[in-house]
Amino acid sequence: MSWLEQEHSRRGALVTATGLIAGAALPDTATAHAAMSAPVAGAAVAPAASMAPAAGPYTNPVVWQDFADIDIIRVGDVYYCSASTMHYSPGAPVLRSYDLVNWEIAGHSVPVLDFGSKYDLNGGRGYVRGIWASSLAYRPGNRTFYWLGQIDFARTYLYTAAAVEGPWNRLTTIGTAYYDAGLLVDTDDTLYVAYGNTTISVAQLSADGRTQVRTQQVFSTPSSIGTLEGARFYKINGNYYIFLTRPANGQYILRSTSGPFGPYTLRQVLLDLGGPVPGGGVPHQGGLVQTQGGAWYYMAFVDAYPGGRVPALAPIVWTSDGWPVVQLVNGVWGASYPSPVVPPPPRQVTPMTGVDTFDGTALKPRWEWNHNPDNGKWSVGGGLTLRTATVTDDLYWARNTLTHRVQGPTSTATIQLDCAGMRDGDRAGLALLRDASAWIGVQRDGGVSRVVTVAGLTMDGNWNTTGTGYETAGAAFSGGRLWLRATADIRPGAPRPGTFFYSTDGVNFTRLGPAFTMGNSWQFFMGYRFALFNYATQALGGSVGVARFELSTP
């Protein structure tokens, strides 16, 4: 019998007998970054009425969109996860789940990248800067969520909110750059930060979280291992653990039985482990979380370019002497596992695919701008209006480019574009956006509008533009409304195609131009995104409307 079959059988028996999986007693506060003092193994099982049977098995990745450098916590019976966003604004999305498998985007911890004018595409650009690996925690003492991250390797920012939907407000700026930090809320509400690259340190913050009161190096990575970073900080069963990644193929953990400042001992969790996504990398750089019933899980990301880094989930068990072990299927991180047991009733999340008509007064959390937008040049309500905000011939310099993650393994984005308000020199449409990009859209010149495909938008390794694009196909059209479509194949392991289509009636679509080859290099970190844009090459004043955006999968 395979491990998966055994686990199904074991869980079925336990659910019948007790209503949940055997494991640690339910913590008083259920956040993985708050202290968890219940026993790791051999603990009492909660009453049968407290849990419902698990659903069928889940498949990895649990989210096939680009969410990397995961930090995961539980508060009560709700799970939250934070991720990197680099130069996209708002930054640091917070995902929410009720079962660890189905996730929605609830909000963003960093409302605006107010870290300098380059994040406004003003005098500079912030590509591959901004929000790197950061940390999300919950402090029971004041019922507050905390987000902590360093920006530009210069200083650390701490934001707080009463709810993940916001509003999030900056609490403090700390002069020390806590690189790849993990924030721990101890049982007495003290805030600690584990951070560093190769040399790992722990800092203690003041009671109000605004200043550092102590910092100390606690570990130096042996040269035989190489680099360790991506700290996540936990207190479990009275011991302190710092979870560290070896990019991009390993995971290690430090343990201290003597307090947050050590001394620490090291153990390998995984190295060069086969992953659950064909063509993808080794799951790494994520976090540990405990369910309401005491079961443990590790959620990590898998390098899966051209789509980015996608979250995968696996169960964890603990050795009798207090070390975590990833449960494998046939020697690798499983493509499928039994679903976690959750309390009733089942709760639904907002799908990450579907239709957006841009109703209401704000963008939905699925959207992020390429750098900060000019808020005077866009609006929602009965559709999205994008007024030209930049005069440029380079999409990478164009403000108010609105992005949406690509859904894997393949997906299609379709927009309804009202281009009657465009002016001569304007360019508007739908892009596949990364360091090598292409788009389909409308260009208006000399009073004539054409639908075109453009490729050859490129950057170098310092993220400077090396190509502003060239037309690969075009067609004349009349009227002020057009439907544009882009399909993206983001299965990892090889460069993949993106294709473009247009329609004048929203029903019959015509392919335009050759397939665009999406690169699968990792250096840009973020994966391809669908992007809505409107910029001017001559003068400001034009506008377009997007009445509808639909993201669909086969």
Side-chain angles (χ1 to χ4, degrees), residues 249-307:
N249 68 337
Q251 197 73 32
Y252 290 75
I253 194 164
L254 302 174
R255 184 181 70 172
S256 166
T257 60
S258 305
F261 292 98
Y264 283 88
T265 55
L266 176 73
R267 184 167 292 191
Q268 179 183 299
V269 177
L270 62 88
L271 185 66
D272 292 325
L273 180 67
V277 182
V282 176
H284 68 288
Q285 194 156 349
L288 301 170
V289 68
Q290 187 183 32
T291 69
Q292 301 92 316
W296 287 84
Y297 286 83
Y298 173 26
M299 194 158 91
F301 74 73
V302 176
D303 287 305
Y305 297 104

Side-chain angles (χ1 to χ4, degrees), residues 300-341:
F301 74 73
V302 176
D303 287 305
Y305 297 104
R309 296 170 288 176
V310 298
L313 184 72
I316 289 284
V317 297
W318 294 79
T319 65
S320 59
D321 57 347
W323 296 92
V325 177
V326 179
Q327 296 302 284
L328 306 180
V329 177
N330 297 323
V332 300
W333 188 296
S336 179
Y337 290 100
S339 291
V341 178

Side-chain angles (χ1 to χ4, degrees), residues 395-396 430-434 436-440 454-457 500 516 528 533:
L395 179 62
Y396 294 124
L430 174 64
L432 285 167
L433 184 67
R434 202 170 181 248
S437 304
W439 56 264
I440 185 170
V454 172
L457 294 88
F500 298 106
F516 165 64
Y528 272 93
F533 66 89

Side-chain angles (χ1 to χ4, degrees), residues 85-423:
T85 41
M86 302 295 180
H87 49 276
Y88 291 109
S89 179
V94 181
L95 281 67
R96 175 171 50 213
S97 176
Y98 304 104
D99 60 6
L100 280 175
V101 174
N102 299 285
W103 292 85
E104 64 185 351
I105 307 176
H108 289 81
S109 301
V110 181
V112 61
L113 306 185
D114 53 349
F115 310 122
S117 60
K118 67 185 175 185
Y119 294 104
D120 298 328
L121 290 175
N122 180 15
R125 308 195 300 198
Y127 289 109
V128 197
R129 307 293 290 187
I131 308 298
W132 285 42
S134 56
S135 189
L136 180 70
Y138 180 75
R139 198 178 194 186
N142 58 1
R143 299 181 178 180
T144 299
F145 289 90
Y146 288 75
W147 178 91
L148 180 145
Q150 63 86 27
I151 303 297
D152 288 334
F153 314 102
R155 53 186 58 87
T156 299
Y157 296 82
L158 188 62
Y159 291 75
T160 60
V164 296
E165 297 87 352
W168 286 84
N169 297 294
R170 185 179 298 172
L171 176 69
T172 192
T173 303
I174 299 172
T176 300
Y178 296 144
Y179 178 84
D180 272 18
L183 180 62
L184 167 68
V185 181
D186 208 336
T187 43
D188 61 0
D189 255 13
T190 302
L191 299 174
Y192 295 100
V193 183
Y195 64 97
N197 174 296
T198 306
T199 298
I200 307 302
S201 299
V202 167
Q204 179 182 338
L205 303 184
S206 58
D208 61 7
R210 294 180 180 273
T211 59
Q212 174 183 288
V213 298
R214 177 186 176 186
T215 187
Q216 178 179 314
Q217 179 181 330
V218 299
F219 186 77
S220 181
T221 304
S223 59
S224 59
I225 292 177
T227 297
L228 290 180
E229 59 183 25
R232 298 287 173 248
F233 206 1
Y234 307 99
K235 186 179 183 182
I236 302 169
N237 199 26
N239 298 323
Y240 292 84
Y241 293 86
I242 303 175
F243 210 35
L244 298 166
T245 195
R246 178 183 185 235
N249 68 337
Q251 197 73 32
Y252 290 75
I253 194 164
L254 302 174
R255 184 181 70 172
S256 166
T257 60
S258 305
F261 292 98
Y264 283 88
T265 55
L266 176 73
R267 184 167 292 191
Q268 179 183 299
V269 177
L270 62 88
L271 185 66
D272 292 325
L273 180 67
V277 182
V282 176
H284 68 288
Q285 194 156 349
L288 301 170
V289 68
Q290 187 183 32
T291 69
Q292 301 92 316
W296 287 84
Y297 286 83
Y298 173 26
M299 194 158 91
F301 74 73
V302 176
D303 287 305
Y305 297 104
R309 296 170 288 176
V310 298
L313 184 72
I316 289 284
V317 297
W318 294 79
T319 65
S320 59
D321 57 347
W323 296 92
V325 177
V326 179
Q327 296 302 284
L328 306 180
V329 177
N330 297 323
V332 300
W333 188 296
S336 179
Y337 290 100
S339 291
V341 178
V342 297
R347 285 184 281 179
Q348 302 299 312
V349 295
T350 302
M352 293 193 179
T353 59
V355 175
D356 190 354
T357 56
F358 302 99
D359 55 340
T361 59
L363 287 167
K364 295 176 177 60
R366 61 167 64 181
W367 295 101
E368 293 163 1
W369 301 94
N370 176 17
H371 295 64
N372 294 322
D374 179 343
N375 287 320
K377 300 292 187 179
W378 70 275
S379 61
V380 292
L384 167 69
T385 299
L386 292 175
R387 292 174 282 278
T388 51
T390 310
V391 178
T392 182
D393 63 354
D394 182 356
L395 179 62
Y396 294 124
W397 276 108
R399 294 191 73 181
N400 290 22
T401 297
L402 186 60
T403 75
H404 193 296
R405 291 169 179 83
V406 176
Q407 175 72 31
T410 62
S411 58
T412 299
T414 305
I415 67 170
Q416 180 184 325
L417 184 71
D418 179 353
C419 47
M422 293 180 68
R423 296 188 176 182

